[in-house]
Amino acid sequence: MTTTDPTADAPAGEVLPAAAWWAALAGLPGMGPARLGVLWEAGPADEAWRLVAEGRALQLPALAALLGRQADTTAAALARAAAEVDVAERWAAHEREGIDVVVRGDPRMPARLADDIDPPFVLFADGDLAAIEGPTVAIVGTRRCSRAGAEMAHEVGYQCARAGGRVVS
């Protein structure tokens, strides 16, 4: 369970990096790029987390406008979801699993993404970030695909990689 004190989720005496808070925010259900962008513009990561976790996200006029008629319901749902997240544990899990979390402005962000017209706020990477340099094929699909769809995506990705392309999702 998380708290609203950004240092409370960290192991004794350790402050979590901003990337931990952005990764946790990006992982909340319904948190898309537009919503994350409003939070990004609002200030430091731990403060953005606190706004969401305390159910105060609607204090950001841009977020309230973005959420429209469902603003109260959506903000409450985000707060409930955040209450279930232990940011320090999630960060530790990323580290244990070798998942690299790179946020906008980090010099480790691959140039082809950093220089994009709409660069990602948070990039989760498993493997060498330099791997996306060169010919690239993006495979985009649904989270709830059929078995046949998953098999087809795997086959297409395999064949593209075999031909020398970098497959990203």
Side-chain angles (χ1 to χ4, degrees):
M1 186 96 160
T2 189
T3 66
T4 56
D5 176 4
T7 60
D9 274 346
E14 183 181 331
V15 175
L16 291 171
W21 301 101
W22 289 121
L25 281 164
L28 292 176
M31 182 63 70
R35 294 173 183 176
L36 197 58
V38 171
L39 292 167
W40 184 272
E41 295 298 323
D46 57 338
E47 290 178 22
W49 176 265
R50 195 169 27 248
L51 277 173
V52 171
E54 292 176 354
R56 297 183 300 115
L58 296 183
Q59 289 179 355
L60 300 173
L63 188 59
L66 183 65
L67 297 177
R69 294 188 326 229
Q70 299 296 322
D72 292 334
T73 304
T74 303
L78 287 169
R80 282 191 305 277
E84 299 299 320
V85 176
D86 180 326
V87 178
E89 174 51 37
R90 179 143 322 154
W91 183 249
H94 288 314
E95 290 180 325
R96 277 191 310 274
E97 295 168 15
I99 304 298
D100 198 7
V101 179
V102 183
V103 297
R104 188 180 281 186
D106 186 322
R108 296 175 305 136
M109 181 71 75
R112 98 179 308 162
L113 296 177
D115 297 339
D116 191 83
I117 192 167
D118 189 17
F121 292 103
V122 182
L123 174 67
F124 297 89
D126 182 7
D128 182 7
L129 288 170
I132 69 165
E133 299 304 327
T136 306
V137 177
I139 297 181
V140 180
T142 179
R143 288 188 174 102
R144 292 184 213 107
C145 67
S146 66
R147 182 181 174 120
E151 289 172 0
M152 179 60 72
H154 181 270
E155 181 63 22
V156 169
Y158 174 79
Q159 293 298 333
C160 289
R162 193 166 163 222
R166 275 70 166 175
V167 180
V168 297
S169 171

